[in-house]
Amino acid sequence: MALNMSDDEDVDFRRQRFQHPDDADDMISESDDEAEQDADQGQQPHGRDRIPLHHFLRLIGGGRIIERDAAATNDELVSALKRRGVITQDAAIKALRVCPRNLFVTEQHQDEAFTDSPVRLHDLDFNVSAPHMHASCLEALQLQPGHRLLDVGCGSGIINACAAYIVGTTGLSVGIDIRKAAVKLSASNIKRLRSTSQEFASQASSCKFELHNVFMPSIKHKGQYDRIHVGASCPPDRVAALLPLLRPEGGMIVTPVSPNDLRQITVDADGTVEQTVLSQVRYSELELPSDAQIIMATLKLRRREQTTVPYPPSTYAQDVASITSHTGYSSSCGSSGSEFSGFMMSGRDKEACEVEGSEGSASASGSRRMWGSRVAKFLSSCSGNLGSSDCVKLDEVALQGSGKGSRQDAITLDPADLGAPDLILVGNSWTIPVHRHVLHNRSDHCRARDDSGMRDAADSELHVPEHFCKDAVETFLHYLYYDEMDPRTSPQHVVAVLHVAHYYGAGRLVALCEAVLAKDLKQSDREDEGTNEAAAALLVLADESGLTKLRAVCLDYIVHHYTAVAATEAYKGLNNHHRDLIAAESCALYAHLRGLLREVTMRKTLCES
């Protein structure tokens, strides 16, 4: 078993501080007085030789200086590592040559760049590990083209750079650190390498750097990586927290583990974990976030997962292909576009229909008749419209899809080019001309009607339920033609559109409406009585309409603001079923918290034993 000198040894070295990024500005640092004293002691008169750091470390560690002269170039350094048997893999050797170490140490430490020893970047409060450790870890990682690597404690970015070159353009190299200075330095070094090395620029993968604590829960990183490298010593009881970051099919982690192991941890697709001790090393220890920080972040992540509204994939491209194949679509076909100004809404601001106007849609369900006025009070407090900067902002793809207003090369469907309309929608004292094939391909209800063989299926008129207001139907048609919710649609309008979309079987539009209502509730003023009133009213709407994510948002809101919501008339009008849902949500949250506390207790017990 090899003994490697520490990559982080230094009598004055401070431990790496791994904590939550939000607390980065509050990190405890050495006193200013001690820093000034260190600076004064570090000043040497001109002409006095400085003892190299690696000599000093070996002097105090083994009682004698092991002479290891600095190489003149990076190629000489890599060749020396190869001669000593530290590195044997061709891919790792080439990567270290393409990514010269002098690009990853600061200007004042250039004289140490090609010495096989750690370099302390005092101003940035971390070390650049010794080249032999970079080489050993790169070999142990067994990187292959296409792999995705995560470097924990990326420092200056040299491991990310070498990994990016090895995994190639089909892979990915990600670095995280709790120090803003380290994240900035890594990104800067990679950018400089790309500008100075054509070989790296053309063959390396993209590199991403992020201010993040690896022990804080994150959806973004979970199950994303084939390989993980850790640049500081991990406590044995925290190694398991790294495993979920590997992809489901398994992967490999190379990390120092307290007190002195450098371990290679392999995880198979069936979950089997094998650990191999590669050598004995000495690293600075990871500074862990507190248990309270981890628990609070985990609870926050759970809330986010439960209340995020997913968007069904768009079928717009396939639908347009089917529509145009039946209509002889051409940019020179007729010009009946003026007949469609009703739902295209161009040249005028959209006036939202009154929410109460949609109450009749629930006439079959007496319990739903009450939510219209309650939700109206909440929605009326939402300023602007969906296109304004003051209101809900949905994911651009979800809001606009592939339709009008999206990128120039996207498929579009212009009603003016579809020829004359062949179907009239008839409402309560209003009519709208449309194209039958558009409704057939974009609405489950209309398609089922057309294919039913019923006598009136081929009629030139389609009667709309009387309680559907014209504005809501126009917004529905706008979605059918353009695969988007009109950006001028006001929040007050969404509930009415939701009823139309639900009735006519436009699942993706239902999801868009659900997302708007969910985000309105999450982002509205908690102190506003209308918001608390609407939380209970929307719970009824979501539960009866099968909107599971909106229901989850409402339950989450009610549980976390129970006192305020329970005082509203809407809450007092809830039936036993909806009260049971709230109680079940509260119990689930309590059970989850108990589970997290139990895990902390068990981990500490195992550690102490």
Side-chain angles (χ1 to χ4, degrees), residues 573-595:
L574 295 179
N575 60 32
N576 289 337
H577 167 67
H578 296 120
R579 291 174 184 267
D580 288 344
L581 290 177
I582 297 171
E585 177 68 16
S586 300
C587 292
L589 178 59
Y590 175 70
H592 183 62
L593 178 58
R594 280 180 57 88

Side-chain angles (χ1 to χ4, degrees), residues 250-301:
M252 184 182 295
I253 301 172
V254 173
T255 177
V257 179
S258 303
N260 298 312
D261 292 347
L262 178 64
R263 296 187 192 179
Q264 180 190 65
I265 304 170
T266 304
V267 181
D268 295 332
D270 61 1
T272 302
V273 180
E274 296 183 1
Q275 299 191 50
T276 303
V277 177
L278 302 176
S279 63
Q280 294 295 292
V281 295
R282 293 177 62 188
Y283 273 79
S284 297
E285 294 184 359
L286 298 174
E287 185 166 323
L288 307 173
S290 69
D291 293 330
Q293 287 177 312
I294 294 176
I295 289 174
M296 292 303 295
T298 303
L299 292 174
K300 183 178 180 180
L301 182 62

Side-chain angles (χ1 to χ4, degrees), residues 436-487:
R436 184 183 300 273
H437 280 297
V438 174
L439 269 66
H440 179 89
N441 285 276
R442 302 281 286 159
S443 163
D444 292 344
H445 173 93
C446 294
R447 181 163 53 253
R449 178 179 179 273
D450 291 343
D451 297 341
S452 66
M454 296 173 60
R455 184 165 47 187
D456 62 347
D459 287 355
S460 59
E461 292 185 351
L462 175 61
H463 289 269
V464 175
E466 292 184 0
H467 53 268
F468 285 176
C469 64
K470 183 179 181 182
D471 285 347
V473 175
E474 287 172 343
T475 301
F476 165 71
L477 292 173
H478 184 94
Y479 168 80
L480 296 188
Y481 278 83
Y482 301 128
D483 203 44
E484 66 179 8
M485 185 183 292
D486 189 271

Side-chain angles (χ1 to χ4, degrees), residues 552-578:
V553 171
C554 294
L555 289 172
D556 177 82
Y557 183 95
I558 294 171
V559 168
H560 285 85
H561 306 87
Y562 180 77
T563 301
V565 176
T568 65
E569 291 300 319
Y571 180 85
K572 295 174 183 178
L574 295 179
N575 60 32
N576 289 337
H577 167 67
H578 296 120

Side-chain angles (χ1 to χ4, degrees), residues 283-504:
Y283 273 79
S284 297
E285 294 184 359
L286 298 174
E287 185 166 323
L288 307 173
S290 69
D291 293 330
Q293 287 177 312
I294 294 176
I295 289 174
M296 292 303 295
T298 303
L299 292 174
K300 183 178 180 180
L301 182 62
R302 176 181 179 271
R303 292 183 67 185
R304 186 183 307 162
E305 289 177 331
Q306 289 184 329
T307 59
T308 299
V309 181
Y311 302 109
S314 174
T315 60
Y316 188 68
Q318 302 95 300
D319 294 343
V320 169
S322 178
I323 293 168
T324 56
S325 67
H326 284 86
T327 60
Y329 179 84
S330 170
S331 58
S332 61
C333 290
S335 59
S336 55
S338 59
E339 298 181 62
F340 296 88
S341 59
F343 71 84
M344 292 172 64
M345 292 176 282
S346 59
R348 66 183 178 90
D349 292 329
K350 188 66 177 172
E351 294 183 359
C353 73
E354 294 297 329
V355 177
E356 288 82 359
S358 61
E359 289 182 10
S361 63
S363 58
S365 174
S367 62
R368 194 187 298 176
R369 292 185 180 182
M370 293 299 297
W371 64 257
S373 59
R374 296 170 186 167
V375 177
K377 185 175 182 181
F378 157 66
L379 291 176
S380 63
S381 66
C382 299
S383 61
N385 51 53
L386 289 181
S388 73
S389 59
D390 297 324
C391 197
V392 180
K393 293 183 178 180
L394 297 179
D395 177 74
E396 182 178 359
V397 175
L399 180 61
Q400 293 191 333
S402 305
K404 187 175 180 180
S406 58
R407 62 184 185 276
Q408 293 181 354
D409 59 344
I411 297 173
T412 59
L413 186 64
D414 191 340
D417 296 329
L418 292 175
D422 53 358
L423 181 65
I424 304 295
L425 298 185
V426 181
N428 187 8
S429 72
W430 54 263
T431 60
I432 303 176
V434 295
H435 296 90
R436 184 183 300 273
H437 280 297
V438 174
L439 269 66
H440 179 89
N441 285 276
R442 302 281 286 159
S443 163
D444 292 344
H445 173 93
C446 294
R447 181 163 53 253
R449 178 179 179 273
D450 291 343
D451 297 341
S452 66
M454 296 173 60
R455 184 165 47 187
D456 62 347
D459 287 355
S460 59
E461 292 185 351
L462 175 61
H463 289 269
V464 175
E466 292 184 0
H467 53 268
F468 285 176
C469 64
K470 183 179 181 182
D471 285 347
V473 175
E474 287 172 343
T475 301
F476 165 71
L477 292 173
H478 184 94
Y479 168 80
L480 296 188
Y481 278 83
Y482 301 128
D483 203 44
E484 66 179 8
M485 185 183 292
D486 189 271
R488 287 157 297 191
T489 304
S490 63
Q492 297 96 316
H493 192 49
V494 175
V495 174
V497 175
L498 175 62
H499 280 299
V500 178
H502 202 281
Y503 179 85
Y504 283 109

Side-chain angles (χ1 to χ4, degrees), residues 83-123:
R83 285 195 305 271
R84 289 160 44 202
V86 175
I87 186 169
T88 60
Q89 297 175 3
D90 290 340
I93 292 171
K94 192 169 184 180
L96 287 171
R97 293 189 189 279
V98 172
C99 307
R101 192 175 187 238
N102 61 301
L103 290 182
F104 295 89
V105 298
T106 54
E107 188 65 32
Q108 58 267 40
H109 294 285
Q110 287 297 305
D111 59 333
E112 303 175 69
F114 301 131
T115 300
D116 187 15
S117 301
V119 175
R120 177 64 178 175
L121 306 184
H122 288 281
D123 294 342

